[in-house]
Amino acid sequence: MPNDDTISRRGLFMKLGILFNGLVAAALAIPILRYLLSSITGAQTKGYLQWVPLGPVNEFPEGETRLATFRNPIVMPADGKTVDTACWVRRVEGEQFQVFAINCAHLGCPVRWFPQSGLFMCPCHGGAYYRDGSRASGPPERGLFEYPYKVKNGLITIQAGELPTPGDPNAALNTERPPCA
């Protein structure tokens, strides 16, 4: 007669099955819970939408548009040089700036600034933008995307980490700067 303290083979496999299924369920549940709770804990925004410096204000002469680069705050180990992102900085006057994403609003090709004509030109499909970033001609249906900026202690910084797009509620309005003339 078997002892009441012994376990049958079926009981052993049942307990092992429950243990392994529990481990798999925990392994799947942890990332899902982290994702769901990230908005509460703020873990998702650790490197996202940070204010990154472009340089001192005196590097951008009044009335000129210059190319600047910044390091994207969302960095992966394999990114290499791709984390260095370009943007166009236009100093209107004083501490009033416009910081444009380098990407065309049509398909995202990099636009170039031509100071002779005062236009940004897209080489892919002939899109053109005026110096204030508004659409001049071509297939783009809107002007260039702008980064929110602020000037503090003589340093211009932008809110980077996400390319401003039409779906972004902050893309159309920038509360950090007065309207450009």
Side-chain angles (χ1 to χ4, degrees):
M1 180 166 158
N3 190 353
D4 289 337
D5 293 337
T6 61
I7 189 165
S8 67
R9 185 188 314 189
R10 178 178 288 188
L12 174 68
F13 283 127
M14 180 67 89
K15 289 185 185 219
L16 284 175
I18 291 171
L19 174 71
F20 287 131
N21 282 330
L23 291 173
V24 169
L28 292 174
I30 289 172
I32 293 170
L33 286 174
R34 284 183 61 195
Y35 172 75
L36 293 174
L37 297 176
S38 65
S39 62
I40 297 169
T41 62
Q44 190 178 31
T45 59
K46 183 178 178 185
Y48 186 66
L49 294 181
Q50 290 183 4
W51 289 93
V52 294
L54 291 181
V57 171
N58 59 9
E59 284 185 8
F60 304 99
E62 218 168 276
E64 287 189 27
T65 301
R66 293 218 170 150
L67 186 67
T69 58
F70 62 92
R71 189 164 182 83
N72 194 323
I74 304 172
V75 180
M76 301 299 277
D79 286 344
K81 291 292 284 176
T82 62
V83 296
D84 295 331
T85 306
C87 62
W88 291 105
V89 180
R90 175 178 176 243
R91 185 171 184 182
V92 180
E93 62 182 346
E95 290 190 349
Q96 185 179 356
F97 289 86
Q98 284 184 291
V99 182
F100 303 110
I102 198 167
N103 308 87
C104 177
H106 178 229
L107 292 177
C109 296
V111 297
R112 257 185 84 195
W113 168 247
F114 291 90
Q116 307 86 346
S117 60
L119 292 172
F120 292 100
M121 303 287 289
C122 177
C124 295
H125 299 106
Y129 304 89
Y130 294 114
R131 71 179 69 246
D132 68 352
S134 61
R135 179 188 177 275
S137 68
E141 295 182 6
R142 64 171 312 270
L144 291 172
F145 302 116
E146 284 188 57
Y147 287 103
Y149 79 90
K150 63 183 174 183
V151 177
K152 192 171 186 178
N153 299 329
L155 187 70
I156 182 167
T157 58
I158 63 168
Q159 193 175 31
E162 174 180 63
L163 182 65
T165 60
D168 180 15
N170 299 322
L173 49 114
N174 182 351
T175 57
E176 295 290 332
R177 66 175 173 82
C180 292

